[in-house]
C-alpha cells in the first residue's frame, strides 16, 4: 500500500485514490494546505494497485521533442483571454467540434481551483488562463476513463505530474485520448491562495468577487497583471508588484514535490507541451506584438496530427530556443528549507501579505532596473511593428 516517507515523494495527483478498488484512500490537507493520501489500513486488501499507478514511484523517461513551434491563435480576443498564445483554446475547440470532452482546471464557486470537464465551447472559458494554485484533481481520471471507454475523444490538460498520473491510472493507450501539459514552474499551496483571497478583498463596498486573472494582458503580455474584479471595483497590480505572485516566483510556497519534480524534461508522457514562449523578442521578434506567444513541443504522432487540424499560426523553432528562456522545462526550483519554513511561520503570525513582502523584498535599484528594462522592451516592440 502507498506509504509516503517524505512529502517530496507525492505530487498529489490522486491516481492512487481513484484506482483503489476498496476506496480506502482519502486525501487529507496538511498544515501547508496540500493534499496527501491516507490509507484506512483496516480496509486495505494489500493489492498493490495504488503503488502501481503512482507516477512518482514510476517516473517516465525524458526525451527530445519531435518538433517545437511558436504558436499564436488567429483570434486576438482569444489570445487576450489566454495566458500566452491561446494554444489551449485552439486544441480544445477542435476536440469539442468532433464531439469530444475537455478536462482542465477552473475556479470553483469558492475560488479554489478544481479539475473538471466541459463538453461545450461556452464551458471552455472557465478553463482558459493559468491559475497559479494546485488544482484538486477529484475524480477527473475516472471520469476521463468512462468517456474513453464510450469511444469519445478526450483532451486532458494539466500539470506534467497530473498527466503522468492519468497515464499510469489508465494503464493502457486509448486512441481517443490527447494529453496536453505545460512547462511547469510548480504549484502553490491552496491554503496560501485562500488566505490571499481574504487579504486582498476590499474592506468596504460590495466585496463579491466576480473574476480573477493571474495573467491580465491589459498592459501587455510581458508586463502582465494580476487582477481581482469585484462588483464595483477591481484590485490590479503588475505581477512583480503583487505579493502572491512574488512569493510564487520566489518559490516560497510550492508543493514539496515541485522542488524535486519527477516529470521534468518531457517525461510526463503527454502528447503535447505548451508554455509561454519567453524570449520570443530575441528568437522571432517579428511575432512579438506583446499579445502573447505560446511555445508548443510535440512528443507523439497523435500530438502532431492534432496540431495539423487546428487554426493556430505555427512557426518552426528549436528546443534550444525554447528552453534557454524557460529553465522550468528541465529544472526544478531550488529548495530553501529555511526560507520556506520562515514563510509558513510568518503566514501563521503576520498574515500572507506581510510574509510574502518580507521574503521577497527588492532593492530600489533593482526595481528601477526592471522598470527601465520594461520601458525599453515596449519601445523596441513599437519600433518593430
Ligand atoms: C501552475 C502553473 C505553472 C506554470 N509554469 C510555467 C512556466 O514555468 N513556464 C511556462 O512557459 N509556462 C508555465 N505555465 C503555463 C502557462 O502559464 C500557460 O498556461 C501556457 O503558456 C498556455 O497558455 P495558452 O495561452 O495556450 O492557454 P491558456 O488558456 O492560458 O491555458 C490554460 C490551460 O492551463 C490549464 N491550467 C490552468 N491552471 C491550471 C492549474 N492550476 N493546474 C492544472 N492546469 C491548469 C487549463 O486547464 C488549460 O488547459 C504554467 C501554468 C501553471 C498553471
Ligand atoms: S493496496 Fe490496494 S486496497 Fe490497499 S490502499 Fe492500495 S489500492 Fe487500496
Ligand atoms: S503521487 Fe499520486 S499516486 Fe503517488 S502517492 Fe501521491 S497522490 Fe498517490
Ligand atoms: S513542478 Fe512537477 S511536481 Fe510540481 S506541479 Fe509541476 S509537474 Fe507537478
Amino acid at each position: 500500500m502507498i506509504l509516503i516517507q517524505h512529502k517530496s515523494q507525492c505530487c498529489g495527483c490522486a491516481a492512487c485514490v481513484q484506482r483503489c478498488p476498496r476506496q480506502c484512500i482519502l486525501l487529507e490537507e496538511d498544515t501547508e494546505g496540500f493534499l496527501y493520501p491516507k490509507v484506512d489500513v483496516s480496509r486495505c486488501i494489500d493489492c498493490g494497485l495504488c503503488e502501481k499507478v503512482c507516477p512518482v514511484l514510476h517516473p517516465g523517461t525524458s526525451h527530445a521533442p519531435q518538433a517545437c513551434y511558436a504558436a499564436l491563435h488567429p483570434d486576438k480576443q482569444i489570445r487576450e483571454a489566454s495566458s500566452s498564445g491561446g494554444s489551449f483554446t485552439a486544441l480544445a475547440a477542435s476536440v469539442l467540434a468532433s464531439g469530444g470532452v475537455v478536462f482542465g482546471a477552473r475556479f470553483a464557486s469558492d475560488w479554489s481551483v478544481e479539475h473538471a470537464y466541459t463538453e461545450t465551447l461556452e464551458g471552455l472559458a472557465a478553463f482558459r488562463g493559468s491559475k497559479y494554485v494546485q488544482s484538486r484533481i477529484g475524480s477527473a481520471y475516472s471520469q476521463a476513463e468512462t468517456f474513453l471507454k464510450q469511444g469519445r475523444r478526450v483532451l486532458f490538460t494539466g500539470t506534467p505530474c497530473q498527466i503522468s498520473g492519468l497515464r499510469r491510472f489508465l494503464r493502457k493507450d486509448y486512441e481517443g485520448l490527447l494529453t496536453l501539459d505545460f512547462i511547469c514552474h510548480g504549484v502553490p499551496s491552496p491554503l496560501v491562495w485562500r488566505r490571499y483571497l481574504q487579504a486582498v478583498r476590499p474592506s468596504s463596498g460590495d466585496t463579491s468577487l466576480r473574476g480573477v486573472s493571474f495573467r491580465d494582458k491589459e498592459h501587455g503580455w510581458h508586463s502582465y497583471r494580476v487582477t481581482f474584479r469585484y462588483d464595483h471595483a477591481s484590485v490590479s497590480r503588475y505581477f512583480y508588484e503583487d505579493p502572491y505572485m512574488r512569493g510564487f516566483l520566489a518559490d516560497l510556497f510550492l508543493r514539496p514535490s515541485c522542488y524535486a519534480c519527477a516529470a521534468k524534461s518531457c517525461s510526463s508522457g503527454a502528447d503535447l507541451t505548451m508554455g509561454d514562449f519567453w524570449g520570443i523578442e530575441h528568437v522571432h521578434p517579428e511575432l512579438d506584438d506583446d499579445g502573447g506567444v505560446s511555445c508548443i513541443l510535440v512528443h507523439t504522432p497523435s500530438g502532431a496530427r492534432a496540431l495539423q487540424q487546428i487554426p493556430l499560426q505555427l512557426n518552426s523553432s528549436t528546443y534550444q530556443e525554447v528552453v534557454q528562456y524557460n529553465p522550468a522545462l528541465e529544472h526544478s526550483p531550488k529548495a530553501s528549507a529555511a526560507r520556506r519554513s520562515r514563510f509558513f511561520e510568518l503566514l501563521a503570525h503576520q498574515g500572507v501579505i506581510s510574509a510574502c513582502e518580507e521574503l521577497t523584498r527588492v532593492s530600489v535599484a533593482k526595481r528601477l532596473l526592471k522598470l527601465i528594462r520594461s520601458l525599453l522592451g515596449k519601445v523596441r516592440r513599437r519600433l518593430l511593428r
Side-chain angles (χ1 to χ4, degrees):
M1 98 189 78
I2 213 89
L3 188 68
I4 293 156
Q5 308 277 9
H6 191 280
K7 289 195 166 164
S8 66
Q9 291 164 357
C10 173
C11 65
C13 70
C16 55
V17 179
Q18 296 175 75
R19 192 41 89 203
C20 173
R22 300 280 294 166
Q23 284 150 12
C24 64
I25 314 180
L26 289 178
L27 288 171
E28 276 190 349
E29 190 174 289
D30 74 350
T31 53
E32 294 180 346
F34 295 106
L35 295 173
Y36 291 91
K38 191 171 174 213
V39 178
D40 175 353
V41 283
S42 68
R43 292 172 52 216
C44 168
I45 51 169
D46 219 8
C47 66
L49 271 178
C50 48
E51 290 175 30
K52 269 194 192 129
V53 297
C54 176
V56 177
L57 290 177
H58 307 279
T61 46
S62 58
H63 65 268
Q66 296 174 3
C68 300
Y69 298 100
L72 293 100
H73 200 291
D75 183 328
K76 271 206 157 186
Q77 277 179 342
I78 287 183
R79 209 149 53 95
E80 198 174 314
S82 307
S83 302
S84 56
S87 45
F88 159 72
T89 299
L91 283 156
S94 123
V95 170
L96 291 175
S98 65
V101 188
V102 174
F103 284 78
R106 67 180 184 193
F107 288 112
S109 53
D110 61 356
W111 297 98
S112 62
V113 178
E114 63 179 12
H115 247 72
Y117 69 85
T118 181
E119 295 173 82
T120 66
L121 270 179
E122 298 72 53
L124 270 193
F127 297 98
R128 213 172 280 137
S130 295
K131 291 100 188 162
Y132 296 123
V133 186
Q134 180 162 37
S135 73
R136 277 190 315 277
I137 203 88
S139 50
Y141 295 166
S142 311
Q143 291 166 334
E145 185 179 46
T146 305
F147 287 124
L148 289 166
K149 283 184 172 164
Q150 290 165 356
R152 303 271 300 271
R153 275 188 86 194
V154 169
L155 169 65
F156 200 101
T157 68
T159 62
C161 60
Q162 287 171 338
I163 300 301
S164 303
L166 171 72
R167 291 247 169 225
R168 289 213 66 86
F169 170 87
L170 292 173
R171 291 177 298 170
K172 68 178 238 190
D173 290 333
Y174 286 88
E175 215 181 298
L177 178 64
L178 181 69
T179 49
L180 171 67
D181 66 5
F182 47 78
I183 302 174
C184 185
H185 179 87
V187 282
S189 150
L191 167 72
V192 176
W193 172 238
R194 286 201 297 273
R195 295 276 167 85
Y196 195 59
L197 277 172
Q198 285 161 7
V200 289
R201 201 163 54 191
S203 51
S204 60
D206 191 338
T207 58
S208 317
L209 189 54
R210 299 290 174 216
V212 178
S213 172
F214 282 97
R215 300 291 300 267
D216 183 345
K217 293 179 180 169
E218 201 181 324
H219 293 207
W221 170 57
H222 289 274
S223 302
Y224 64 88
R225 295 171 75 87
V226 181
T227 300
F228 296 81
R229 290 197 176 82
Y230 301 88
D231 261 345
H232 299 293
S234 65
V235 176
S236 183
R237 297 185 189 88
Y238 286 112
F239 70 95
Y240 49 80
E241 289 171 351
D242 183 84
Y244 180 88
M245 277 309 279
R246 279 172 46 186
F248 165 48
L249 295 171
D251 312 324
L252 295 178
F253 41 82
L254 302 179
R255 190 175 176 98
S257 58
C258 300
Y259 303 94
C261 176
K264 288 284 174 210
S265 301
C266 313
S267 63
S268 70
D271 296 301
L272 296 162
T273 297
M274 60 184 171
D276 287 276
F277 205 135
W278 297 130
I280 194 76
E281 65 276 27
H282 306 297
V283 179
H284 291 292
E286 71 285 2
L287 299 180
D288 184 21
D289 60 358
D290 209 11
V293 182
S294 299
C295 56
I296 297 196
L297 314 186
V298 182
H299 307 295
T300 63
S302 313
R305 271 196 304 279
L307 271 191
Q308 282 162 8
Q309 292 159 8
I310 57 175
L312 275 184
Q313 178 193 329
L314 295 174
N315 297 266
S316 251
S317 294
T318 65
Y319 180 72
Q320 197 47 39
E321 285 168 345
V322 174
V323 74
Q324 65 181 321
Y325 299 103
N326 223 328
L329 195 45
E330 295 182 347
H331 302 290
S332 300
K334 287 208 172 70
S336 165
R339 265 165 66 79
R340 207 170 170 285
S341 57
R342 178 78 184 132
F343 171 81
F344 281 100
E345 233 174 78
L346 288 170
L347 178 72
H349 297 113
Q350 295 181 22
V352 61
I353 293 187
S354 164
C356 290
E357 281 178 345
E358 183 163 333
L359 292 167
T360 62
R361 221 160 256 146
V362 186
S363 68
V364 176
K366 270 195 176 164
R367 274 192 207 193
L368 209 61
L369 199 67
K370 201 166 235 171
L371 191 70
I372 293 169
R373 276 206 191 121
S374 146
L375 287 174
L376 283 176
K378 276 194 178 143
V379 172
R380 233 182 92 219
R381 279 188 293 277
R382 215 155 265 172
L383 290 175
L384 280 169
R385 251 177 255 162

